Amino acid sequence: KQEVTQIPAALSVPEGENLVLNCSFTDSAIYNLQWFRQDPGKGLTSLLLIQSSQREQTSGRLNASLDKSSGRSTLYIAASQPGDSATYLCAVSSLSSSGSARQLTFGSGTQLTVLP
Amino acid sequence: ETGVTQTPRHLVMGMTNKKSLKCEQHLGHNAMYWYKQSAKKPLELMFVYNFKEQTENNSVPSRFSPECPNSSHLFLHLHTLQPEDSALYLCASSQEASNTEAFFGQGTRLTVV
C-alpha cells in the first residue's frame, strides 16, 4: 500500500527566504507526482506535475524534483512571499490496491507561513 | 477557477437527514473522484468513476452513495450520517490513462449535528 510522508509538518520563515519542502513515498511504481496548494477551507490548486520519467519541473518561483528510485520529491520555493502562506500537499499517482483504477495518495501536507 | 465546481459549499445536516453533494466538471475529463479530508488526516480516496462506471470503492460505508449519470457530473448522496462524517468533501477529475493533472473543486464543508 502506497504511503506518502511530508516533512516538516509546519514551517515558518521570514519573507524573502528560499525554502524546501520534502515528500517521500514508499512504492516507486508511480505514474506521476503532483504538488498542490491548499488555502484554509478551500480546495486544492495544482502547482506542478512531474511525470515518473522526469527529474524536475519548474513554474515561476517553484521548482519540483523527483527521485523515483529513492521515493523522494522536493518542492523548492524561491524568494518566498506572504502570499505563499498555505498548506502544500504532495500526491503520487499509482494503481489502486484493487488494480482497477489510478488513484492519488496524499501526504498530510506542510503548513507554510511566510512572515512579512 | 479549476473547471471543477462543487455545490453546496457548506452543508449542515442532522443525522436523520438525506442530502446530496454535486460536482460538475467542464474539462472534458473521463474520470471523476470523491475524496474526504478530515481534520489532521491526509485526503482519503472514497470513489473513482471512469467513463461513468465505478472502478473503485475504498471500503466506504453504505451511508455514502455515489452516482455518476455522465462523465461531467458526479453526486454523493448522504443518509443517516454520523458526526464523525463531518469533513471537507472534495471532488476531482482527470483524464484517465493520459498521465495528466488532476483538478479539484473547492469542496463541500459538511457538518453533521
Side-chain angles (χ1 to χ4, degrees), chain A residues 7-74:
Chain A
I7 295 173
L11 181 63
S12 183
V13 300
E15 181 177 5
E17 274 205 5
N18 303 325
L19 56 101
V20 175
L21 309 181
N22 297 290
C23 172
S24 62
F25 47 96
T26 54
D27 185 350
S28 62
I30 66 170
Y31 297 107
N32 58 55
L33 183 145
Q34 204 165 343
W35 282 94
F36 293 90
R37 168 187 173 137
Q38 185 175 30
D39 293 289
K42 300 288 182 64
L44 277 62
T45 300
S46 179
L47 298 173
L48 288 165
L49 172 76
I50 311 179
Q51 303 294 352
S52 61
S53 58
Q54 295 177 319
R55 299 284 292 188
E56 67 178 309
Q57 277 287 347
T58 298
S59 176
R61 294 182 294 108
L62 306 179
N63 176 277
S65 68
L66 173 64
D67 184 343
K68 195 175 78 162
S69 59
S70 68
R72 294 182 183 178
S73 176
T74 61

Side-chain angles (χ1 to χ4, degrees), chain A residues 60-99:
Chain A
R61 294 182 294 108
L62 306 179
N63 176 277
S65 68
L66 173 64
D67 184 343
K68 195 175 78 162
S69 59
S70 68
R72 294 182 183 178
S73 176
T74 61
L75 179 67
Y76 175 82
I77 302 177
S80 58
Q81 303 170 357
D84 295 330
S85 299
T87 296
Y88 289 80
L89 296 165
C90 166
V92 296
S93 175
S94 54
L95 205 56
S96 65
S97 52
S98 68

Side-chain angles (χ1 to χ4, degrees), chain A residues 38 44 89 104-108, chain B residues 35-38 41-45 88 90 104:
Chain A
Q38 185 175 30
L44 277 62
L89 296 165
L104 286 175
T105 304
F106 283 83
S108 296
Chain B
Y35 283 85
K36 175 183 179 181
Q37 188 176 33
S38 304
K41 291 176 68 175
L43 272 82
E44 301 170 74
L45 177 69
L88 182 67
L90 291 161
F104 281 75

Side-chain angles (χ1 to χ4, degrees), chain B residues 1 7 10 15 41 62 79 85 91-92 108 110-111:
Chain B
E1 181 58 57
T7 54
H10 301 273
M15 288 190 284
K41 291 176 68 175
S62 60
H79 64 98
D85 296 322
C91 171
T108 295
L110 173 68
T111 304

Side-chain angles (χ1 to χ4, degrees), chain B:
Chain B
E1 181 58 57
T2 63
V4 181
T5 303
Q6 290 186 241
T7 54
R9 292 293 310 277
H10 301 273
L11 178 62
V12 179
M13 60 185 290
M15 288 190 284
T16 58
N17 292 159
K18 290 185 180 181
K19 297 287 184 182
S20 295
L21 311 184
K22 179 182 176 182
C23 177
E24 183 175 0
Q25 58 97 359
H26 308 278
L27 301 168
H29 289 163
N30 54 26
M32 296 187 76
Y33 312 79
W34 280 117
Y35 283 85
K36 175 183 179 181
Q37 188 176 33
S38 304
K40 303 188 188 304
K41 291 176 68 175
L43 272 82
E44 301 170 74
L45 177 69
M46 299 176 72
F47 301 102
V48 181
Y49 277 81
N50 202 341
F51 289 104
K52 305 188 302 177
E53 298 299 320
Q54 187 182 117
T55 53
E56 190 77 13
N57 176 338
N58 198 21
S59 302
V60 181
S62 60
R63 58 186 184 270
F64 295 92
S65 175
E67 178 190 2
C68 189
N70 55 61
S71 293
S72 299
H73 293 84
L74 184 65
F75 296 89
L76 188 62
H77 304 299
L78 315 171
H79 64 98
T80 59
L81 294 192
Q82 305 298 312
E84 59 264 29
D85 296 322
S86 299
L88 182 67
Y89 288 85
L90 291 161
C91 171
S93 73
S94 70
Q95 192 65 13
E96 176 72 4
S98 75
N99 231 10
T100 53
E101 291 169 283
F103 290 87
F104 281 75
Q106 290 295 299
T108 295
R109 171 66 64 185
L110 173 68
T111 304
V112 182
V113 297

